[in-house]
Amino acid sequence: MFSSKKGWALVLSGGGAKGIAHIGVLKFLEEKKITPDFIAGTSVGAIIGGAYACGMSAKELEDFIVNDFNYKDYFDIRTIHLPDMAWTRALQAGETMRNLFGKLGVDNGEKILDKLLEMTKEKKFGEEKIPFVCNAVDIVNHRHIIIERGRIADGIRASMAVPGLITPSVYDDDSMLVDGGVVDNMIVSTAVQKGYKKVMAVNLNRKGSATRENIVNGVSVIYEAMFVNSRMIKRVGDDRPDLEITVSDGRSYEDFSEPEKLIKMGYESAKEVERKIKRISGKSIFGLF
């Protein structure tokens, strides 16, 4: 049973492969022995945040991403980093198109769900070490949902179901859930509404326009379209974090190369605002640092 005492919340945004940077932020917090009282995540933020909330350390997450992770083992999205061979591209594109028009998405999400169950130790909401929630969008009933019941892995699987790429999740009998970033890519207001006094958010999507150079294929188009809302929104009131850390090296959302670089960027971005983090987390002395 979680304590009713409210402290500070960590909110992790969505952002595809850029989400690897979240690990760097968590790594910095661990080194400083700073632990959030609550974690809320969207899409890849739900993956990293949910695994951390269930007990995976930042080092374990880093080891997995750097040494073991290969997107091809978990996703059947053939448009990402295709070999430069025309016949291979044609065959893979044909299969992708058949899945897209014959099914509810290119990938059925089964492989990633199996991995998520492992990463979350098959825990249900309420059993995690740090209270955690994630979000998704019900495209049947047109509603934004905060997921906080059932298996955490199922919730994460729904939160990361990018429309068209990963099949929607079924939440109840009359719903179909897709990536929470469609409506709110950084659920700050959820943490505030739950009573947490301070909120630190890690935003993987810079304000303003994207670059045409990074919109390289259909996957890029889907991601950019999905995050237009989060780029345009002006966060005010309960939707505005006390501290927002923006981490991005301008890469496309599907570029999983050089994960060490992203982790370092997340770490350095957190280090730059160490005093503010300590103040929000209550680690500073009399709030002076």
Side-chain angles (χ1 to χ4, degrees), residues 15-16 162 165 179 218-228 253-254:
V162 178
L165 300 184
D179 198 302
V219 178
S220 302
V221 172
I222 290 172
Y223 270 114
E224 287 295 343
M226 192 171 72
F227 292 137
V228 163
Y253 292 100
E254 74 275 18

Side-chain angles (χ1 to χ4, degrees), residues 47 64 69-71 73-76 107-119 153-154 156-158 160-161 166:
I47 297 174
F64 168 63
F69 178 76
N70 184 335
Y71 72 87
D73 294 336
Y74 305 102
F75 300 103
D76 190 26
D107 185 88
N108 61 22
E110 291 179 1
K111 290 180 181 178
I112 188 61
L113 178 59
D114 287 342
K115 188 61 183 181
L116 291 171
L117 285 166
E118 177 188 329
M119 293 172 72
D154 291 324
I156 297 171
R157 160 66 178 81
M160 56 161 288
I166 302 174

Side-chain angles (χ1 to χ4, degrees), residues 25-46:
V25 175
L26 292 173
K27 185 177 179 179
F28 178 82
L29 294 177
E30 272 191 5
E31 284 188 8
K32 300 301 176 180
K33 295 181 170 54
I34 298 173
T35 304
D37 299 295
F38 175 77
I39 299 175
T42 299
S43 199
V44 68

Side-chain angles (χ1 to χ4, degrees), residues 13-268:
S13 84
K18 299 178 184 182
I20 295 171
H22 287 319
I23 298 173
V25 175
L26 292 173
K27 185 177 179 179
F28 178 82
L29 294 177
E30 272 191 5
E31 284 188 8
K32 300 301 176 180
K33 295 181 170 54
I34 298 173
T35 304
D37 299 295
F38 175 77
I39 299 175
T42 299
S43 199
V44 68
I47 297 174
I48 302 299
Y52 192 77
C54 288
M56 281 190 77
S57 67
K59 181 65 168 61
E60 289 172 325
L61 285 164
E62 181 178 26
D63 285 344
F64 168 63
I65 290 295
V66 173
N67 300 316
D68 299 322
F69 178 76
N70 184 335
Y71 72 87
K72 294 178 182 178
D73 294 336
Y74 305 102
F75 300 103
D76 190 26
I77 299 172
R78 309 286 178 136
T79 53
I80 302 177
H81 301 309
L82 292 176
D84 190 20
M85 298 170 64
W87 65 270
T88 303
R89 290 200 302 272
L91 287 174
Q92 292 182 346
E95 184 175 342
T96 297
M97 293 303 290
R98 284 194 296 273
N99 285 346
L100 184 59
F101 285 96
K103 301 179 181 179
L104 294 175
V106 174
D107 185 88
N108 61 22
E110 291 179 1
K111 290 180 181 178
I112 188 61
L113 178 59
D114 287 342
K115 188 61 183 181
L116 291 171
L117 285 166
E118 177 188 329
M119 293 172 72
T120 59
K121 303 175 176 64
E122 300 191 23
K123 292 184 178 182
K124 295 181 179 179
F125 287 95
E127 298 175 345
E128 64 271 42
K129 290 186 176 182
I130 301 172
F132 168 77
V133 300
C134 55
N135 67 324
V137 176
D138 179 359
I139 58 174
V140 173
N141 299 291
H142 298 176
R143 53 180 177 159
H144 181 229
I145 292 177
I146 302 301
I147 304 174
E148 49 192 338
R149 62 177 173 84
R151 296 190 306 184
I152 292 173
D154 291 324
I156 297 171
R157 160 66 178 81
S159 185
M160 56 161 288
V162 178
L165 300 184
I166 302 174
T167 58
S169 290
V170 176
Y171 190 60
D172 49 40
D173 291 340
D174 67 340
S175 69
M176 295 176 71
L177 303 188
V178 299
D179 198 302
V182 170
V183 168
D184 192 348
N185 196 41
M186 198 168 72
I187 48 176
V188 173
S189 60
T190 298
V192 173
Q193 289 161 10
K194 286 186 172 293
Y196 290 90
K197 297 175 183 177
K198 297 289 183 179
V199 178
M200 182 178 87
V202 183
N203 191 351
L204 305 173
N205 301 282
R206 288 186 288 192
K207 299 292 184 184
S209 302
T211 60
R212 292 186 63 175
E213 290 77 13
N214 286 326
I215 303 177
V216 296
N217 55 33
V219 178
S220 302
V221 172
I222 290 172
Y223 270 114
E224 287 295 343
M226 192 171 72
F227 292 137
V228 163
N229 184 55
S230 66
R231 287 182 184 272
M232 294 174 60
I233 191 172
K234 183 177 181 181
R235 294 186 175 274
V236 297
D238 287 354
D239 208 29
R240 184 176 181 179
D242 297 282
L243 172 61
E244 181 175 326
I245 301 174
T246 302
V247 188
S248 178
D249 63 352
R251 71 175 63 201
S252 60
Y253 292 100
E254 74 275 18
D255 184 358
F256 288 92
S257 66
E258 300 182 289
E260 301 95 335
K261 181 180 177 183
L262 274 171
I263 292 171
K264 183 178 180 181
M265 284 186 61
Y267 182 95
E268 294 297 331

